[in-house]
Amino acid sequence: DLVSIRLGLGVAGASAEPLQFQEMNQHEKTKPEDVSRYFHYIKENVTEEWKDLAYQLGLRRPDVVTIDERNRDYKSRCFDMLYEWQMGKGNLVTTDVLLGALKELRLTSVLDGLKSKYPELDG
């Protein structure tokens, strides 16, 4: 009926959720980009700069301290940090964000090496 359509409720048999919320919920269900395929290369090459990368990716200090304490070496810390970033940031975890962080930190050799190993990144 006209009242339902004006309120964005659709027609009989349709969801009672307003259309704008249906669209947002569908967007929120979008699967995050899988950037984990790059983690091994990054952890092998970033080493002691892992903390700088953590902060650049938006991790908070308490999380960085926890990661530091529960791992015994740079590579383990870096991999753990990348995993925490992926789990904690959801849809904000993208290749562009990861490459941008490496670029911002001037980790050029890591960035160039990634692009060489994964040609799809060089675009």
Side-chain angles (χ1 to χ4, degrees):
D1 70 351
L2 189 55
V3 174
S4 294
I5 292 171
R6 283 200 154 189
L7 292 174
L9 298 176
V11 292
S15 171
E17 258 185 312
L19 295 177
Q20 65 196 33
F21 293 117
Q22 290 177 25
E23 289 173 19
M24 282 193 325
N25 288 340
Q26 287 173 356
H27 181 68
E28 288 172 4
K29 292 176 189 171
T30 302
K31 187 177 161 188
E33 184 180 344
D34 184 15
V35 297
S36 62
R37 65 183 294 191
Y38 310 119
F39 289 0
H40 179 76
Y41 183 87
I42 292 170
K43 71 116 175 162
E44 288 294 323
N45 292 281
V46 168
T47 64
E48 66 267 4
E49 292 97 352
W50 76 270
K51 281 186 183 180
D52 296 331
L53 183 57
Y55 292 124
Q56 192 68 37
L57 292 171
L59 273 74
R60 297 173 315 136
R61 189 177 186 330
D63 297 327
V64 173
V65 169
T66 300
I67 291 166
D68 197 19
E69 291 172 350
R70 73 179 173 214
N71 293 282
R72 57 184 170 80
D73 58 50
Y74 290 134
K75 291 179 182 183
S76 299
R77 291 172 184 144
C78 186
F79 192 85
D80 191 4
M81 175 275 298
L82 291 167
Y83 178 80
E84 290 292 327
W85 171 64
Q86 185 179 35
M87 293 296 101
K89 298 294 181 178
N91 287 340
L92 300 176
V93 175
T94 66
T95 303
D96 288 343
V97 170
L98 184 57
L99 297 179
L102 293 169
K103 184 177 181 178
E104 188 69 30
L105 293 170
R106 294 187 173 94
L107 295 173
T108 314
S109 63
V110 178
L111 194 54
D112 291 345
L114 265 176
K115 289 178 179 180
S116 176
K117 184 171 177 137
Y118 302 98
E120 70 274 12
L121 296 176
D122 200 12

